[in-house]
Amino acid sequence: MREETMAGVDRRVRISHLLKSAQIGQQVEVTGWVKTSRFSKNVSFVHVMDGSTPNTLQVVIRPELVEAFQHRLGVGAAVRITGTLVPSPGAEQPFEVAAETIVIVGDSDPSTYPMQKKATSLEFLRTVNHLRPRSNTHQAVFRARNALAWQIHRFFQERGFLWIHTPILTGADAEGAGELFPISNAVDFFGHPAFLTVSGQLEVECFAQSHTDVYTFGPTFRAENSNTPRHAAEFWMIEPEMAFADLDDVIALTEDFIREVALATMDQCADDFAFFGKRIAPGHPEQVRQVVSKPFARITYTEAQELLAKSGRTFEFPIGWGTSMQAEHERYLAEEVFQGPVFVTNYPWEQKAFYMRLDEDGKTVAATDLLVPRIGEVVGGSQREERADVLEQQILRRGMHMDHLQWYLDLRRFGTTPHGGFGLGFERMLMWLTGVANIRDVIAFPRVPGASF
RNA sequence: UCCCGCUUAGCUCAGCUGGUUAGAGCACCUGACUGUUAAUCAGGGGGUCGCUAGUUCAAAUCUAGCAGCGGGAGCCA
């Protein structure tokens, strides 16, 4: 990897590299955007960022040089600066660049530039989605987002999982996972209705039954009118699927995944997570690190209900076997009882999707939700129903139509295997790691109900 | 979709029970300043107080409706 330069741009140096391993006295050329600038009679300072690190590079400018540029070196201007790397007398940075030449590549009028050198609210930044990537927070968030995606792929690739690209356009709401966005001209074009996908799981099962270990990682769409800090109409989802695997295998994979990916992402972006822990959610990333380092707890739904009954708490929503676990119940278990991630398994079949494997008692299914403090459910997984007759029964007892599911039943007719996997909201995991509270702040251009774009 | 809250300068906010020309900090402009770290100091410009209607001698302030935003809940990832 050539972190230090861009292909074909020989002299240009990334600030991250420069601050790590450049040599004192070295001649450097830096490109980036002015973050803040201070001018005085004898010496002036311009801080430049280029997106490679949360740290800015301090450029020192002598009076002769600053005169020509002072009015063009305000916040936001794009610059190309050459100079010598020298030790900095200031306490805040080890090095700085003594400027020799300055080129204003792109002017930026400070009186109308919406971004401030002062901290601004995340709410305001949402009104300038096109410029907010330059904010400290979004600089860090989108480096972390990139790292998380990278580490997720690395985790699966190292284990021999194949990345399968399941369709974005799909024919029917087979899973019942929320409202779909219809494609308005689908009937004319395809000859039948079509929608934006809500999950690639059913399709990826075909590839688990051919390539054994596979996963999806792509965009997903929900037309739910959910106006909350945790929901978006367009988000990314990860769905691994394994053949010759049962619920225990799914849970083991989930735990390894959460632990390894979380730690690797925080290591890859150590500076950014230091920023999150200082400015966004004090102490939060360090807590996540501790929590994922311990073994995760595991209880059944039945045991969870017993714990809730024994809690002595008054909950807003009813508890007891057969009731659905509400956010307040999940938070109580993850935050107070276990104080860390907990797998809850074997939910009543009525509460879960049709494809989940019916347990021997006929009352519960081999499903699991991973609950974590603050966020609630992060991962939902299950062993799938691999018995054709039982699956048919589960489809019928829900009043679902089987016409569109014959291909899915075929997987159970020709070389069926026990199999399973989980689904993970990419942005939810990113929020959990970084401590960013609103999903709109971890998506470049968030699509939510009522959004105009 | 339901409940609650908010909306005053480019940004973050103050403006008590209605009462003269609407305030601060930051940003911006001008000047000063021997190394700053969201520099500092002095001066300046900048507002139809979300919109509409109403109550009143008088509305940023009270009432209603609408809109936008935020928080909680549901749905879920």
Side-chain angles (χ1 to χ4, degrees), chain A residues 279-296:
Chain A
R279 293 290 168 83
I280 300 297
H284 177 79
E286 206 40 52
Q287 280 173 19
V288 171
R289 186 179 281 278
Q290 286 169 14
V291 150
V292 300
S293 298
K294 304 185 294 196
F296 297 1

Side-chain angles (χ1 to χ4, degrees), chain A residues 232-303:
Chain A
E234 176 180 335
F235 61 98
W236 283 52
M237 195 153 66
I238 297 112
E239 296 163 303
E241 190 74 25
M242 301 178 288
F244 304 100
D246 62 13
L247 185 64
D248 290 340
D249 297 316
V250 171
I251 287 175
L253 180 76
T254 306
E255 182 165 349
D256 285 352
F257 172 90
I258 292 292
R259 178 173 301 123
E260 286 190 31
V261 169
L263 294 176
T265 301
M266 289 195 267
D267 288 344
Q268 185 181 335
C269 291
D271 288 347
D272 291 312
F273 279 89
F275 170 84
F276 296 132
K278 204 172 151 196
R279 293 290 168 83
I280 300 297
H284 177 79
E286 206 40 52
Q287 280 173 19
V288 171
R289 186 179 281 278
Q290 286 169 14
V291 150
V292 300
S293 298
K294 304 185 294 196
F296 297 1
R298 176 174 171 174
I299 56 172
T300 64
Y301 167 87
T302 304
E303 289 163 344

Side-chain angles (χ1 to χ4, degrees), chain A residues 13 24 27 50 55 83 110 181 216 248 259 270 276 304-305 366 388-389 420-421 445 447 449:
Chain A
V13 181
I24 295 292
Q27 191 76 6
D50 68 358
N55 302 306
F181 284 105
T216 72
D248 290 340
R259 178 173 301 123
F276 296 132
Q305 288 299 336
D389 55 334
F445 297 92
R447 271 57 169 119

Side-chain angles (χ1 to χ4, degrees), chain A residues 189-446:
Chain A
F189 192 83
F190 296 115
H192 57 77
F195 307 88
L196 295 177
T197 183
V198 293
S199 164
Q201 187 212 305
L202 299 191
E203 290 94 340
V204 91
E205 278 186 46
C206 306
F207 285 82
Q209 302 297 3
S210 66
H211 292 72
T212 307
D213 293 323
V214 294
Y215 68 108
T216 72
F217 188 175
T220 306
F221 306 87
R222 301 282 164 86
E224 291 289 347
N225 193 4
S226 311
N227 212 316
T228 85
R230 296 173 299 281
H231 291 82
E234 176 180 335
F235 61 98
W236 283 52
M237 195 153 66
I238 297 112
E239 296 163 303
E241 190 74 25
M242 301 178 288
F244 304 100
D246 62 13
L247 185 64
D248 290 340
D249 297 316
V250 171
I251 287 175
L253 180 76
T254 306
E255 182 165 349
D256 285 352
F257 172 90
I258 292 292
R259 178 173 301 123
E260 286 190 31
V261 169
L263 294 176
T265 301
M266 289 195 267
D267 288 344
Q268 185 181 335
C269 291
D271 288 347
D272 291 312
F273 279 89
F275 170 84
F276 296 132
K278 204 172 151 196
R279 293 290 168 83
I280 300 297
H284 177 79
E286 206 40 52
Q287 280 173 19
V288 171
R289 186 179 281 278
Q290 286 169 14
V291 150
V292 300
S293 298
K294 304 185 294 196
F296 297 1
R298 176 174 171 174
I299 56 172
T300 64
Y301 167 87
T302 304
E303 289 163 344
Q305 288 299 336
E306 287 164 4
L307 285 169
L308 292 172
K310 279 197 306 194
S311 70
R313 291 290 181 100
T314 37
F315 293 105
E316 193 188 337
F317 288 89
I319 56 172
W321 209 94
T323 61
S324 61
M325 302 255 288
Q326 302 294 324
E328 56 173 348
H329 307 140
E330 297 183 343
R331 274 204 301 270
Y332 171 76
L333 293 171
E335 290 170 10
E336 300 192 38
V337 179
F338 294 98
Q339 296 179 11
V342 52
F343 289 103
V344 180
T345 67
N346 306 95
Y347 287 79
W349 70 263
E350 294 93 334
Q351 295 180 16
K352 292 291 178 184
F354 75 95
Y355 51 72
M356 296 188 178
R357 190 180 195 277
L358 195 64
D359 290 325
E360 299 312 314
D361 64 8
K363 291 192 282 192
T364 58
V365 289
T368 183
D369 285 354
L370 177 62
L371 312 180
V372 301
R374 249 172 53 90
I375 303 292
E377 183 193 330
V378 172
V379 178
S382 70
Q383 185 175 341
R384 320 306 186 192
E385 184 54 76
E386 86 283 11
R387 299 162 296 189
D389 55 334
V390 181
L391 183 58
E392 278 189 40
Q393 193 183 63
Q394 287 290 73
I395 292 168
L396 289 173
R397 78 203 290 194
R398 279 159 218 272
M400 294 171 64
H401 288 292
M402 234 165 332
D403 325 356
H404 296 296
L405 288 169
Q406 286 306 321
W407 65 270
Y408 191 68
L409 283 157
D410 260 6
L411 295 174
R412 279 77 183 163
R413 294 179 183 125
F414 305 111
T416 191
T417 74
H419 64 290
F422 66 78
L424 166 80
F426 179 65
E427 286 84 1
R428 292 253 176 109
M429 183 165 181
L430 186 58
M431 291 166 71
W432 177 47
L433 297 182
T434 60
V436 171
N438 195 310
I439 198 166
R440 295 159 205 226
D441 301 322
V442 299
I443 299 176
F445 297 92

Side-chain angles (χ1 to χ4, degrees), chain A residues 143-175:
Chain A
R143 277 190 298 267
R145 185 176 172 122
N146 167 72
L148 179 59
W150 174 262
Q151 295 299 340
I152 286 168
H153 280 303
R154 193 185 57 79
F155 175 89
F156 287 124
Q157 295 295 323
E158 286 179 0
R159 282 163 180 74
F161 283 65
L162 263 59
W163 182 21
I164 304 297
H165 305 108
T166 50
I168 308 288
L169 295 175
T170 59
D173 177 16
E175 194 188 351

Side-chain angles (χ1 to χ4, degrees), chain A residues 19-34:
Chain A
L19 294 176
K20 255 188 306 197
S21 47
Q23 303 292 314
I24 295 292
Q26 186 184 342
Q27 191 76 6
V28 294
E29 176 172 323
V30 173
T31 52
W33 294 266
V34 175

